[in-house]
Amino acid sequence: MGFPGDSPRRQPYVQPGGQQPPFQTGGPQSPPAWDDQTGGQPGGQGGGRPGGQGESWFGPPVQGPGPQSPAGFGSTPQEPPRPAPGWQAPAGQTAAGQTPTEQTAAEQEGPGPAAFARETPEPTEPGRRPKKQKQAWSPYEEGPRALLPTFVAVGVIGMLIAGGIGLAVFASSGDDSLAGVADAPAPAATKPVIPANPGGTFGFAESRKTDPAKLALDELFKSRKARHKGQTYLMTARRNDKKCKDAVVGSGLQKALTAGRCNQLVRASFRDASGKIIGTLGVANLDTSSAAAKVVKATRGKEPQQYLKVLPGKDKVTKLLGTGEAFVGGWRHGHYAVLVWFQYKDGHLPSKAEAKKLNAAAFGVADATVTPALESRSLTGKRP
């Protein structure tokens, strides 16, 4: 079939001198038949195939009398030209320009190739071409359409992955924000700025500003036994007093401790291996080195009336502390004041030689216990 203005279909070749279809007015005309012997002139003799059969390019060979062409082409009736719109067939002819007898013969021979061709729907309006019909996808497609399912699957997977990543990022960001609000630490108290090298004779231990941590019992008196220069001393009692004036005797010493802002006084009692020499050692924590010097000065007088209060032990030797004569005194180490009370067990007045032994015992116990801890404070300003 065709459209108005299209070229007419090619007509099959006919026998020379055969009956031609009548002239059709108002419709497309058939092209002249080709004559092989006359060089393509119409009306030649024997044109086409021998026996006067017309040319058919697609049909099967015609069964019947007459020789077959070498190529094996048969004669198949072709679709005649379609009349133009508004044309009426003459009396005695069909709409295709055939008589009823010819039309019946053509129907008996069977449809030609044009009958199996895909028909294009007629336009609904003049001059408007019909819409193309969409073809469904087939698994046997070739070319870009064959990859259509792959592209769709990849796109869907990509969208799912992107959505999952987005949800994960959103969830993690939400958790972080909540955690940051809930776990926000409280602002820490402002700590004093400690200089890198405070200098002075005792370094960081010169002042409580550069050595703020309090003393601990285990820091000073951790081991029960103290050894110094071949001598062994056994600790029998220890105590940490927050009220410094309760650990001393004498109003002058108590005033010096209070003026120096003493915040602790740590004491411990010892005896030597023979059990003859006993004593108590204490460390007062003052604000500054000058305050510690005033405390030490208060313990020095013509008569020992300002001194460290003894800490009696539960054993039968150190429980006698505080009875009789004793060697008392003290010295400073930065903002710490070291105070001592050492005596003989029976409390007798020591001779000069015995006084030297008491003095050696006091410094021996201090060097084995408090001195290493205070020297560490001088270097670091922290607990060892």
Side-chain angles (χ1 to χ4, degrees):
M1 61 181 294
F3 297 96
D6 290 347
S7 306
R9 295 175 181 265
R10 182 177 180 181
Q11 299 297 320
Y13 298 120
V14 297
Q15 297 180 6
Q19 182 180 0
Q20 299 292 337
F23 179 77
Q24 301 172 4
T25 59
Q29 301 297 324
S30 301
W34 182 269
D35 193 339
D36 292 333
Q37 295 181 1
T38 59
Q41 297 299 327
Q45 299 294 327
R49 120 171 6 133
Q53 299 292 331
E55 182 185 54
S56 177
W57 291 359
F58 303 100
V62 178
Q63 301 295 332
Q68 299 292 330
S69 62
F73 291 102
S75 175
T76 303
Q78 301 294 320
E79 180 182 359
R82 187 178 299 273
W87 176 82
Q88 299 294 332
Q93 293 186 357
T94 62
Q98 296 176 328
T99 62
T101 305
E102 294 174 345
Q103 183 177 6
T104 302
E107 291 177 355
Q108 292 178 356
E109 291 187 8
F116 296 95
R118 178 177 297 177
E119 292 291 339
T120 305
E122 292 287 348
T124 57
E125 296 180 5
R128 182 176 179 182
R129 301 184 65 85
K131 296 182 180 180
K132 295 184 178 180
Q133 297 180 355
K134 295 183 179 180
Q135 297 181 1
W137 179 84
S138 171
Y140 302 101
E141 289 279 357
E142 295 183 357
R145 283 176 56 86
L147 302 176
L148 180 60
T150 304
F151 294 152
V152 173
V154 171
V156 172
I157 294 174
M159 292 176 63
L160 293 176
I161 293 175
I165 294 174
L167 290 175
V169 171
F170 177 77
S172 62
S173 63
D175 294 343
D176 293 342
S177 61
L178 293 177
V181 173
D183 301 336
T190 304
K191 295 182 179 180
V193 179
I194 300 176
N197 185 12
T201 305
F202 298 99
F204 287 95
E206 281 284 345
S207 172
R208 192 184 290 163
K209 291 182 179 179
T210 54
D211 180 27
K214 287 186 177 183
L215 297 169
L217 282 172
D218 286 342
E219 183 180 355
L220 300 179
F221 308 115
K222 183 176 182 179
S223 178
R224 188 180 180 190
K225 290 183 179 180
R227 295 181 176 87
H228 181 70
K229 292 183 178 181
Q231 298 294 324
T232 301
Y233 304 93
L234 182 65
M235 182 174 64
T236 60
R238 66 178 188 174
R239 181 172 177 175
N240 185 358
D241 289 290
K242 294 181 180 180
K243 294 181 179 181
C244 299
K245 65 179 183 178
D246 295 341
V248 298
V249 176
S251 59
L253 183 56
Q254 290 176 346
K255 290 180 180 178
L257 290 172
T258 303
R261 300 177 61 186
C262 179
N263 61 3
Q264 66 177 146
L265 205 160
V266 185
R267 292 176 295 167
S269 295
F270 295 85
R271 68 180 179 87
D272 66 355
S274 64
K276 295 180 179 180
I277 299 177
I278 58 177
T280 299
L281 175 68
V283 179
N285 188 342
L286 287 305
D287 189 32
T288 61
S289 180
S290 60
K294 292 178 181 179
V295 170
V296 173
K297 185 179 180 180
T299 62
R300 295 173 182 176
K302 292 181 180 180
E303 293 183 3
Q305 296 178 353
Q306 316 291 328
Y307 52 85
L308 177 69
K309 184 183 290 187
V310 296
L311 181 65
K314 295 181 179 180
D315 63 305
K316 64 181 181 179
V317 178
T318 57
K319 72 178 182 179
L320 301 174
L321 279 168
T323 60
E325 300 294 331
F327 168 76
V328 296
W331 64 91
R332 73 183 176 95
H333 187 106
H335 66 99
Y336 300 104
V338 182
L339 306 176
V340 295
W341 169 291
F342 272 78
Q343 69 175 70
Y344 281 95
K345 181 181 68 171
D346 58 3
H348 72 272
L349 181 64
S351 65
K352 291 184 178 179
E354 291 176 335
K356 289 182 180 179
K357 290 181 180 180
L358 292 177
N359 189 51
F363 281 104
V365 172
D367 288 344
T369 56
V370 302
T371 301
L374 298 181
E375 288 180 348
S376 176
R377 293 279 186 133
S378 298
L379 296 175
T380 65
K382 301 177 181 178
R383 293 176 181 175

